[in-house]
Amino acid sequence: MPKQINHQIVRRLKKTSRVLSVIISMVGFFALVGWQFNILFLMRVIPKLPIIAPNTAMAFLLGGAILFLAGNGKISKNAVLRIFSYFSIIVILLLGLLTLLEYIFKVSFGIDGMLFSKVQGLAPVRMSPQSAFNFLMTGISLLFIFNQEKKTRIKIGQIIVLLTGAVSLLSLFGFIYSIPSFYTIAPYKGMAAHTAVAFVMMFFGILLAFPEHGFVRIFSSRGLSGLAARRLFFTLMVIIFGEVAIAGGREIGLYNFSSEALFHLAIITGVFVYLIFFAFRSLDELGRMETSLAKTKELDRAKTEFVGMASHQLRTPLTAISWYSEMLLSKDAGELSLKQADYLKEIYTGNQRMIDLVDDLLNTSRIDMGTLKAKPELISLTEVMDGILDEFSHQIKQKNLNLEKKFSRNLPRVLLDPEHLGIIFQNIISNAVKYTQPRGKILVEIRKKNSHVLVKIADNGWGIPPGQQKKIFTKLFRADNVRKRDAEGTGLGLYIARALVKKSGGEITFESKEGKGSAFYVTFKV
Ligand code: ADP
């Protein structure tokens, strides 16, 4: 079963994605301003590190904007935004692809100096191979997610952006631990520092834009698993960024190696203490949940037992009423006036309905308690079906229904509990009669199919709404179209029927079209 989503967390993560997208666009924007007005700081932030290329800045400006719009869900609703996004993604893709080709084939397409050709005597700056690769991946990822059409597209987009994340995190660590081979590919220069940071933000931004889909879903799921995923991820981030900050501090001469080692130890100890507390609290919570689940189950069982006992007690007086009414109606105790007979018929049918309900309750409680016992014998399905159809003959005539029977000859007998089989047929036939308009048609077919006997009960009645078909075997469920018409029913019939079919080792399926009709298929092994 898919995990439930915590919508509050989803909203928070989406917000984080939007904030990141704005920062990404700002990085691009300010770098372009740096190029325009020769402000070297805006172009590289950290002295000695490479300069951000104008094309990189442009791609970030556009990429951040698309991510913002995609996360907001605006693009799919607005044609102008869609065209803008397509155009921008193509620009990002082309910038990445063409630059990569320039590196691979050692050529120049003249795209590097397209926006700004020279600054402070520097030749046109080309983005690094890693940036070019990252833009290619980011562009493809954005292409998959920006329109929010399908979950699978979002999942693919998330997987592709993992590559961007890997390359940029590697560069970032390269800067901090002074390992140039992590952020440069000799003989070319590497990524600028803020380029790497912006790519890391892009990576998180894309993943968090749709936290309810793909593998990111685990972080927004409800309950302990979601909480654990979020906490563990948080500790991972604390470790990564803590370690990086500690190494950075030593790198710029704040302290020596031995202090650094101490700080590492402190961070690992802190994280472990935090995790131990979290594990304890989670286990406590789990224990509490288990206790309350056990209590709920116990209560549920007590309720079911009570319903079973009450139905059992009701059955005897109701049956007595039925017998005495029948006796009176058949004039065993003398003549009745017309009015008396009418009243008595009302009592009899009302009582019959109560008996049906009590039987349903009794069967449901037996199913739920697991106390249902079957007494199988070799029986003829057609004989049982004929008996049930006889019971309904009055209603079928009253509704003017056209009943067609198609029973194959020489059907084998089947080892089944006749009472259970009667209940199964009764429930399905009663639905076909109840949920078909007057002068409608009912077909009852019994034939052999391979090593099974197939019983088909079809009608051309109201049918079942498509969105509710999955639920019709659920206890107490009644579809909306049936409720609206207010036909009698409890929503227990098919629940019981399915349990009894299963108990008999058979199978029950159906097909239905709203307004056209339904067909139920029951198969039993011969
Ligand atoms: P009920 O007491 O409401 O008939 P059931 O468990 O027998 O309860 O059936 C569950 C629901 O399935 C019904 O309420 C109805 O919405 C739907 N259903 C079952 N059989 C049919 C049918 N032949 N035609 C239309 N709807 C049906």
Side-chain angles (χ1 to χ4, degrees):
M1 212 181 93
K3 289 237 171 286
Q4 291 254 304
I5 288 295
N6 183 333
H7 293 285
Q8 202 185 349
I9 299 279
V10 167
R11 273 196 296 278
R12 259 190 244 161
L13 296 180
K14 275 180 182 274
K15 212 175 183 178
T16 313
S17 165
R18 279 203 293 276
V19 171
L20 289 175
S21 67
V22 172
I23 301 176
I24 296 166
S25 279
M26 304 274 266
V27 169
F29 175 74
F30 283 115
L32 288 175
V33 170
W35 275 93
Q36 176 66 38
F37 299 105
N38 275 359
I39 309 170
L40 205 55
F41 170 74
L42 290 181
M43 293 188 249
R44 75 165 148 214
V45 185
I46 299 173
K48 284 188 286 179
L49 287 180
I51 289 182
I52 194 166
N55 285 349
T56 305
M58 189 52 166
F60 276 137
L61 184 63
L62 295 176
I66 300 164
L67 180 59
F68 183 85
L69 295 171
N72 259 347
K74 295 232 163 87
I75 298 179
S76 53
K77 293 184 203 113
N78 187 322
V80 178
L81 287 182
R82 219 173 14 245
I83 293 167
F84 164 75
S85 306
Y86 260 126
F87 174 76
S88 308
I89 294 174
I90 288 170
V91 170
I92 296 173
L93 279 171
L94 280 179
L95 285 177
L97 184 69
L98 292 177
T99 313
L100 267 185
L101 292 176
E102 285 182 329
Y103 278 112
I104 294 169
F105 298 109
K106 300 197 170 41
V107 289
S108 170
F109 299 129
I111 53 168
D112 307 325
M114 203 168 48
L115 295 168
F116 301 95
S117 58
K118 247 189 198 171
V119 66
Q120 294 185 353
L122 293 165
V125 180
R126 179 175 294 178
M127 68 170 81
S128 67
Q130 292 98 312
S131 299
F133 172 79
N134 270 357
F135 277 127
L136 192 58
M137 292 304 126
T138 308
I140 298 174
S141 172
L142 286 173
L143 204 58
F144 273 101
I145 65 156
F146 86 103
N147 225 354
Q148 290 191 25
E149 274 167 354
K150 284 192 194 129
K151 280 187 209 159
T152 38
R153 289 187 59 142
I154 293 176
K155 278 186 201 166
I156 297 172
Q158 288 177 345
I159 290 170
I160 293 171
V161 86
L162 287 180
L163 291 169
T164 308
V167 171
S168 35
L169 279 171
L170 210 64
S171 299
L172 209 55
F173 292 142
F175 294 133
I176 290 156
Y177 288 99
S178 305
I179 316 169
S181 59
F182 276 20
Y183 60 95
T184 52
I185 298 177
Y188 309 111
K189 59 183 176 33
M191 254 189 216
H194 48 349
T195 305
V197 174
F199 273 128
V200 171
M201 288 196 282
M202 184 60 105
F203 160 66
F204 281 117
I206 288 183
L207 290 185
L208 298 184
F210 306 102
E212 64 276 52
H213 301 305
F215 65 88
V216 194
R217 195 181 158 91
I218 178 76
F219 295 106
S220 44
S221 62
R222 260 181 212 283
L224 269 183
S225 56
L227 188 66
R230 288 193 293 276
R231 293 276 163 95
L232 290 176
F233 186 75
F234 170 70
T235 42
L236 180 70
M237 288 297 119
V238 169
I239 294 177
I240 292 178
F241 289 104
E243 292 286 305
V244 160
I246 291 167
R250 199 241 317 124
E251 190 74 12
I252 57 171
L254 284 182
Y255 36 79
N256 59 15
F257 266 116
S258 36
S259 314
E260 187 191 342
L262 205 66
F263 290 145
H264 285 313
L265 188 67
I267 214 162
I268 299 290
T269 316
V271 162
F272 261 87
V273 169
Y274 172 76
L275 284 182
I276 289 168
F277 270 108
F278 175 62
F280 263 108
R281 273 225 309 273
S282 306
L283 287 177
D284 259 2
E285 173 86 350
L286 212 60
R288 266 200 300 278
M289 272 157 65
E290 255 173 356
T291 322
S292 84
L293 197 71
K295 271 193 195 146
T296 316
K297 269 192 183 162
E298 208 176 293
L299 205 69
D300 222 38
R301 197 178 163 80
K303 269 194 223 158
T304 314
E305 236 169 80
F306 172 75
V307 170
M309 187 269 294
S311 332
H312 193 76
Q313 296 297 329
L314 278 173
R315 190 66 168 88
T316 322
L318 288 176
T319 314
I321 295 174
S322 185
W323 278 342
Y324 287 120
S325 316
E326 265 175 39
M327 265 156 54
L328 286 173
L329 281 172
S330 61
K331 299 175 188 156
D332 284 357
E335 283 295 325
L336 296 174
S337 73
L338 276 179
K339 232 181 193 162
Q340 283 169 334
D342 270 355
Y343 291 161
L344 200 56
K345 269 184 205 151
E346 289 293 327
I347 293 174
Y348 179 76
T349 42
N351 187 61
Q352 215 52 42
R353 276 216 295 252
M354 278 199 275
I355 289 180
D356 289 345
L357 177 64
V358 161
D359 280 348
D360 277 355
L361 289 176
L362 207 55
N363 284 324
T364 308
S365 86
R366 279 185 193 139
I367 291 165
D368 292 348
M369 303 272 293
T371 53
L372 195 77
K373 297 258 166 356
K375 289 186 208 128
E377 33 185 284
L378 271 180
I379 47 171
S380 147
L381 294 189
T382 48
E383 272 172 28
V384 177
M385 182 59 94
D386 272 332
I388 299 294
L389 288 175
D390 263 358
E391 277 178 30
F392 282 95
S393 60
H394 181 64
Q395 288 179 45
I396 292 175
K397 211 184 266 168
Q398 239 183 1
K399 269 187 110 170
N400 248 322
L401 297 172
N402 173 354
L403 172 70
E404 187 185 349
K405 286 201 286 185
K406 269 193 190 170
F407 296 170
S408 297
R409 281 165 194 244
N410 304 325
L411 281 168
R413 288 180 169 259
V414 184
L415 194 64
L416 288 171
D417 180 322
E419 200 189 323
H420 289 184
L421 187 69
I423 296 173
I424 296 166
F425 287 168
Q426 198 183 26
N427 279 320
I428 305 175
I429 298 280
S430 104
N431 284 344
V433 173
K434 264 193 300 188
Y435 305 135
T436 301
Q437 58 285 0
R439 281 186 292 281
K441 266 201 275 185
I442 295 178
L443 164 76
V444 181
E445 188 181 343
I446 306 183
R447 63 185 163 86
K448 194 149 180 271
K449 193 182 171 199
N450 307 325
S451 57
H452 293 85
V453 180
L454 171 78
V455 183
K456 173 179 174 183
I457 297 159
D459 63 64
N460 66 348
W462 307 342
I464 305 162
Q468 306 194 323
Q469 297 194 355
K470 265 195 222 149
K471 296 192 195 153
I472 65 156
F473 291 110
T474 314
K475 205 193 308 184
L476 300 174
F477 181 80
R478 306 193 69 220
D480 290 339
N481 61 339
V482 161
R483 279 175 194 273
K484 256 187 249 153
R485 287 170 166 109
D486 205 23
E488 288 165 20
T490 57
L492 291 174
L494 286 182
Y495 174 73
I496 295 171
R498 187 173 67 167
L500 295 180
V501 171
K502 267 193 182 167
K503 180 108 189 146
S504 324
E507 252 183 56
I508 178 166
T509 53
F510 72 96
E511 51 194 14
S512 181
K513 265 207 179 133
E514 195 173 7
K516 290 263 155 67
S518 316
F520 283 78
Y521 302 90
V522 186
T523 50
F524 296 107
K525 268 197 206 124
V526 181

